Amino acid sequence: MLSKMRRRTTLKFIPLLLSGGAGLSMINSVEAQGKSQHTWWKEAIVYQVFIRSFADSNGDGIGDFRGLLNRLDYLENLGVTVLWLNPHYDSPNVDSGYDIRDYRKVNSDFGTMEDFEALMAGAHARDMKVIVDLVVNHTSDQHIWFQKSRSSRDNPYRDYYIWRDGKNGGLPNNYPSFFGGKAWQNDSKTGQYYLHYYERCQPDLNWDNPKVRQEVHDIMRFWIARGVSGFRMDVIPFISKPAGLRDLTIEELQDPSVVFANGPHLHTYLHEMNQKVLSPHNAMSVGEAFGVSYAQTPLFVSQQRKELDMIFHFDTARVGRKDWETRPWTLQELKETITEDDRSTGPDGWTTSFLENHDNPRAVSRFGDNSPASAKALSLLVMGRRGTVFIFQGQEIGMTNISFDKIEDFEDVNAKGIWADTVGRGTHSANAVLTELRQTSRDNARTPMQWNNTTTGGFTTGTPWFRLNPNTDRINVAAQELDSSSVLAFYRQIISFRKSHPVLVYGTFQDIDPQNPNIFAFTRTLDNNQILIFINLTAQSQAWALPAEINLGKILLNTHMVKPMGRTLSLAPWQGCITAISS
Ligand code: TEU
Ligand code: CA
């Protein structure tokens, strides 16, 4: 009898009838290779929680650990197997917790360590694992290490950070900050500059210092000892700085992340972290890989290299964007990134499948038309792919972008930095920057979770720290719990389907109509089991002629009631299906 733990986290095998007399097809590749091929983090349904905006339990308007604990049944019912917590550590909260003041303390806004431990116990009682955000490219300038480091040039902590003299009366080099301005801040106490790729209150750590690496390994062990099963690693490719901190060329300045992600010791440090912490504790790792090309991916995720398990590429989620600005894009372009991402893992690597997170606008607004139908279509795009699935809070109910009238409506330090760097310097008009930020701002993802149609959306009994989306009266969990045709109902259905069909997790991916400007059609194949997924990713009805080699089998999942049939399928706007393929 499978223990509850194994039963829940091991895929149940449901023989998938291949119509046309192909008989029963047990999905046997994974089975045949033995349970050792069962990898919990490959089969996981990861739900990302931006704690501050998820659920408030004490009426202070800020989401917290107990609020999340109170919603674990909802997440279990959705089919979630892993929680990813955005930074939960003590922080002055300049960059939503990505400025950590003490890695061994929890953010008092979210509760106490006892509350965190209660949350961990609640998750584990439901067979959910928890991964946390490892933010170790930089700390807060309020971290005790930085306070000591800045105190004098010969303080033992000086080399925990990156200090340099100015050059020729100017900055040590020409690096820009991702949050606007330059990446160097002069510190009057010692007259030197320190490096900060992000906000100046986020000084970069010096990973060339073995003491820094040791400190990070100890921090990881601290949270593993408290039940954490892995880490999402914030801008981890940036930890090894360019040799000699050389200037960037004019071309490199167009996208500094490419140079920043290719420092000389990066893979040495990742392998060291793997050997000292990740492998000994079987901890999962997913790297946030800005600046990493698809060609470089195997260097991070090949299991033989013993570095990371998988990485997030952003070319799909950020198609049609150049940083904060939008540009025209096509579905063919989006589909190509998905194929490249899938191929990038190489023979023994793994990847991720996501469209949303806390740094990006809502997918249903970016790639859909804010309609529930488009939200369901996009869920098929995420759930149908190979790779570990990541859902961002609210994506499962089709939460949309929020409107912004003026720059003061934005909370995000990134948006304010962009404004200062453009409108503030007279390079762009206010209207032009607002138009772009409305579509790309990270604030779009950080509005409070919409639980019900009350004025505070069931998020808090107090005043929410950030304004709710006015459409909370229409788009909320409570309304969708009662509606079998809701986005939430469909997410539950497709997650359950993915859990019972390993071909969706482990099957190879093939786009079978890459040039089609309206339809995304691809197969997934695992041994003698093959399924077809096709999605009309437009707001108009479309006809799609089946490729000659494909004969439609049983419809296994359908976003709509109407059943496509024949050789030319008539698809309703945003209609998507998973079908068997008959021989
Ligand atoms: O993000 C990395 C990052 O570079 C993005 O923030 C990107 O620059 C931004 O979205 C503008 O396009 C990670 C975290 O996910 C982000 O929330 C933090 O602000 C950042 O690192 C610094 O820790
Ligand atoms: Ca609270």
Side-chain angles (χ1 to χ4, degrees):
M1 174 70 171
L2 279 181
S3 73
K4 186 172 172 238
M5 170 66 85
R6 272 179 54 72
R7 193 173 62 243
R8 282 283 185 78
T9 50
T10 298
L11 289 167
K12 296 185 295 293
F13 291 99
I14 292 185
L16 193 60
L17 279 175
L18 275 179
S19 49
L24 272 187
S25 142
M26 284 299 284
I27 302 154
N28 56 22
S29 169
V30 174
E31 186 84 26
Q33 290 158 15
K35 291 296 177 209
S36 62
Q37 289 303 310
H38 274 295
T39 312
W40 64 266
W41 45 265
K42 291 185 178 179
E43 299 169 5
I45 304 293
V46 185
Y47 190 91
Q48 179 190 353
V49 183
F50 188 79
I51 303 167
R52 187 168 292 275
S53 297
F54 189 68
D56 169 23
S57 69
N58 62 352
D60 66 359
I62 299 171
D64 47 52
F65 296 133
R66 293 269 172 193
L68 171 52
L69 175 59
N70 296 338
R71 296 289 183 176
L72 289 183
D73 286 341
Y74 163 77
L75 296 176
E76 183 182 24
N77 194 1
L78 177 58
V80 170
T81 62
V82 178
L83 297 180
W84 157 23
L85 305 184
N86 280 106
H88 67 292
Y89 315 92
D90 173 45
S91 163
N93 194 44
V94 174
D95 180 19
S96 299
Y98 283 91
D99 48 319
I100 295 171
R101 179 169 48 205
D102 188 330
Y103 288 95
R104 291 179 174 79
K105 280 189 185 155
V106 297
N107 190 322
S108 55
D109 285 348
F110 301 156
T112 63
M113 182 63 89
E114 289 69 32
D115 295 328
F116 175 84
E117 287 163 355
L119 169 61
M120 293 299 291
H124 292 162
R126 295 168 176 83
D127 297 341
M128 283 179 200
K129 297 181 189 298
V130 178
I131 68 172
V132 293
D133 223 311
L134 187 70
V135 188
V136 289
N137 172 70
H138 48 268
T139 70
S140 163
D141 60 354
Q142 294 184 29
H143 196 292
I144 186 66
W145 296 341
F146 188 74
Q147 292 304 310
K148 291 180 176 178
S149 178
R150 77 187 321 178
S151 67
S152 74
R153 291 188 181 219
D154 54 10
N155 183 285
Y157 284 84
R158 190 69 174 180
D159 280 347
Y160 270 48
Y161 295 86
I162 298 163
W163 295 92
R164 291 294 184 278
D165 292 321
K167 225 164 47 181
N168 313 323
L171 299 177
N173 67 23
N174 65 353
Y175 295 178
S177 157
F178 286 108
F179 285 171
K182 295 298 183 188
W184 293 96
Q185 174 61 36
N186 186 270
D187 199 59
S188 55
K189 196 149 176 75
T190 61
Q192 282 195 311
Y193 292 85
Y194 65 85
L195 179 66
H196 60 88
Y197 280 172
Y198 288 91
E199 241 342 74
R200 63 173 168 215
C201 68
Q202 294 171 291
D204 280 50
L205 283 165
N206 172 19
W207 273 72
D208 293 340
N209 182 344
K211 290 179 190 151
V212 167
R213 303 200 300 272
Q214 176 64 48
E215 296 270 16
V216 171
H217 300 158
D218 290 344
I219 289 163
M220 296 170 76
R221 294 185 190 102
F222 178 89
W223 291 104
I224 289 170
R226 279 155 187 75
V228 158
S229 301
F231 301 93
R232 175 268 189 186
M233 299 187 183
D234 190 62
V235 292
I236 199 70
F238 292 174
I239 58 177
S240 174
K241 303 316 184 198
L245 289 177
R246 69 169 175 82
D247 272 345
L248 298 181
T249 64
I250 298 292
E251 190 199 0
E252 289 166 340
L253 280 167
Q254 296 307 307
D255 180 5
S257 66
V258 176
V259 174
F260 290 174
N262 283 283
H265 309 299
L266 171 60
H267 294 288
T268 304
Y269 298 158
L270 291 180
H271 182 65
E272 179 189 52
M273 179 193 281
N274 180 290
Q275 294 301 285
K276 293 201 173 202
V277 185
L278 297 171
S279 287
H281 295 279
N282 287 316
M284 176 264 245
S285 56
V286 51
E288 182 195 33
F290 273 103
V292 173
S293 68
Y294 288 125
Q296 291 171 320
T297 303
L299 295 174
F300 293 82
V301 304
S302 164
Q303 291 305 297
Q304 293 164 31
R305 289 174 57 89
K306 299 190 183 309
E307 292 189 16
L308 303 179
D309 291 324
M310 51 191 146
I311 57 177
F312 292 125
H313 276 295
F314 291 90
D315 305 58
T316 300
R318 292 212 167 168
V319 76
R321 278 184 59 179
K322 172 129 180 41
D323 194 7
W324 57 275
E325 293 179 280
T326 58
R327 59 170 179 74
W329 60 281
T330 64
L331 179 60
Q332 294 94 316
E333 207 180 334
L334 178 80
K335 295 193 284 189
E336 190 180 336
T337 65
I338 290 174
T339 293
E340 287 195 68
D341 190 312
D342 184 80
R343 300 288 179 267
S344 72
T345 59
D348 70 338
W350 195 247
T351 188
T352 56
S353 177
F354 72 101
L355 282 180
E356 289 193 26
N357 68 10
H358 65 293
D359 286 337
N360 286 287
R362 290 288 181 178
V364 73
S365 302
R366 185 87 191 100
F367 303 107
D369 61 1
N370 284 336
S371 67
S374 61
K376 293 180 193 175
L378 292 168
S379 78
L380 261 180
L381 192 157
V382 173
M383 296 287 164
R385 287 179 55 192
R386 189 172 72 99
T388 297
V389 160
F390 286 76
I391 304 168
F392 180 64
Q393 67 185 46
Q395 181 179 338
E396 78 276 14
I397 59 170
M399 276 176 66
T400 69
N401 283 355
I402 190 170
S403 63
F404 300 91
D405 300 323
K406 54 193 181 305
I407 190 62
E408 290 74 22
D409 291 347
F410 293 84
E411 283 285 335
D412 183 12
V413 62
N414 188 188
K416 292 168 183 172
I418 291 162
W419 184 270
D421 240 14
T422 55
V423 180
R425 292 172 48 216
T427 60
H428 295 65
S429 72
N431 189 46
V433 174
L434 269 177
T435 302
E436 298 293 1
L437 286 180
R438 283 190 188 107
Q439 300 179 72
T440 63
S441 167
R442 308 191 304 179
D443 278 316
N444 281 303
R446 302 178 179 190
T447 59
M449 181 71 184
Q450 298 169 195
W451 295 104
N452 62 38
N453 65 357
T454 60
T455 50
T456 56
F459 164 70
T460 178
T461 55
T463 306
W465 73 275
F466 191 16
R467 56 200 168 88
L468 258 83
N469 197 314
N471 63 25
T472 300
D473 61 337
R474 278 185 307 106
I475 299 174
N476 61 72
V477 169
Q480 297 190 25
E481 290 276 16
L482 305 172
D483 173 1
S484 63
S485 69
S486 66
V487 180
L488 178 59
F490 189 76
Y491 261 90
R492 286 177 173 148
Q493 207 183 346
I494 193 165
I495 289 173
S496 172
F497 185 91
R498 182 174 169 104
K499 284 180 169 180
S500 53
H501 293 82
V503 62
L504 273 187
V505 178
Y506 296 104
T508 54
F509 166 90
Q510 183 64 49
D511 185 336
I512 60 170
D513 194 357
Q515 292 314 311
N516 192 307
N518 306 310
I519 309 292
F520 187 17
F522 54 97
T523 57
R524 301 293 312 280
T525 309
L526 186 63
D527 301 330
N528 59 353
N529 170 46
Q530 190 173 49
I531 58 173
L532 168 66
I533 297 171
F534 50 86
I535 315 165
N536 172 7
L537 284 169
T538 72
Q540 295 76 36
S541 296
Q542 301 289 348
W544 179 51
L546 274 172
E549 71 279 11
I550 298 275
N551 296 314
L552 219 53
K554 183 167 179 277
I555 293 181
L556 305 169
L557 205 64
N558 188 349
T559 55
H560 290 59
M561 297 303 286
V562 61
K563 291 187 187 320
M565 55 182 71
R567 295 296 312 170
T568 298
L569 306 180
S570 297
L571 298 178
W574 307 110
Q575 182 171 11
C577 292
I578 301 181
T579 74
I581 296 174
S582 68
S583 49

